[in-house]
Amino acid sequence: MSEPNQAVVDEAVREGESMGARDLVELIERYHREAGVEWATVEAYAAELEARDDYAFDAEDFLAHVDANTTDADWWEGGVYYEIGDSVDDRRISLFPAAWHERLGGSTDVREYVEFMLDEDPDYLDDLSLGGPGGGVPEKAVVEALMLLGRVDRPDANTAINEARERDDIAEDADQSPDAHIYLPERTSEDLSSG
């Protein structure tokens, strides 16, 4: 188990009630930079937040919510948490399923992420409410995946996207920024939105 990082706790307190359970799990997973986060670490953060005098947090409700919404599915099933550990003794959860970690874990190849989301687990895109209209993958979704699966911080995720764009590995509609949809240059945005 990793000990709670005070910067993560402080950020959660700063965000207050606007930070939902999913946001908190994402913040913890982003900081710990491993494949998912140990359940014991999630419990330690919940206890730390509940112990704060300046923050109203119900650790039992939070943990019950996360536990009740955790699945062992290997592929995308919607807005749930995914069990990605190898055994009962290795209980790890993530915002992304095990197949995603196996295929993309540690990679910062933006084209690989876009291809995977479009071709191998398109149910993910059906559930997204990020980005503007059009085909492809919302840039915000690629950034989140790069941070949690590629285990990089936000500036490095944005740099990877910009470098992929400069190499013409990816493309986006010019009028969509900052909520751009990223697609592969050999596919047009229209092709993606109609199919």
Side-chain angles (χ1 to χ4, degrees):
M1 173 186 82
S2 298
E3 291 297 316
N5 178 280
Q6 196 58 46
V8 173
V9 173
D10 290 344
E11 185 172 337
V13 170
R14 245 188 337 274
E15 292 293 323
E17 291 181 18
S18 68
M19 178 170 274
R22 185 184 189 284
D23 298 326
L24 181 55
V25 172
E26 178 188 354
L27 177 63
I28 296 167
E29 186 175 0
R30 213 173 50 214
Y31 170 77
H32 286 275
R33 300 235 179 137
E34 298 170 2
V37 62
E38 294 176 334
W39 182 253
T41 300
V42 175
E43 291 176 319
Y45 274 99
E48 180 83 15
L49 287 167
E50 187 172 59
R52 296 278 299 235
D53 292 334
D54 59 345
Y55 189 61
F57 186 82
D58 188 326
E60 187 176 338
D61 278 356
F62 166 74
L63 293 170
H65 164 79
V66 174
D67 192 46
N69 290 285
T70 298
T71 179
D72 63 356
D74 288 336
W75 294 93
W76 189 260
E77 277 196 354
V80 297
Y81 310 97
Y82 294 88
E83 188 83 51
I84 64 165
D86 293 334
S87 68
V88 174
D89 296 332
D90 180 26
R91 184 161 188 219
R92 305 180 72 73
I93 63 168
S94 176
L95 297 187
F96 290 100
W100 289 54
H101 283 274
E102 290 168 15
R103 174 72 182 279
L104 301 169
S107 171
T108 56
D109 182 340
V110 175
R111 181 182 173 89
E112 184 179 18
Y113 280 78
V114 174
E115 265 181 322
F116 184 86
M117 292 175 190
L118 290 171
D119 298 336
E120 295 195 41
D121 208 350
D123 290 344
Y124 173 68
L125 297 177
D126 293 340
D127 284 346
L128 291 181
S129 60
L130 301 170
V137 180
E139 186 169 328
K140 291 177 185 178
V142 177
V143 169
E144 179 183 62
L146 282 165
M147 289 190 310
L148 298 183
L149 300 167
R151 301 179 197 116
V152 297
D153 59 21
R154 186 176 305 277
D156 289 340
N158 288 325
T159 297
I161 290 170
N162 289 333
E163 288 173 352
R165 191 179 295 118
E166 288 170 7
R167 288 189 307 269
D168 293 325
D169 287 347
I170 60 168
E172 68 183 41
D173 289 338
D175 62 341
Q176 290 187 346
S177 194
D179 291 327
H181 277 75
I182 299 170
Y183 54 92
L184 304 175
E186 63 271 17
R187 303 180 193 181
T188 67
S189 177
E190 294 77 25
D191 290 340
L192 294 168
S193 61
S194 64

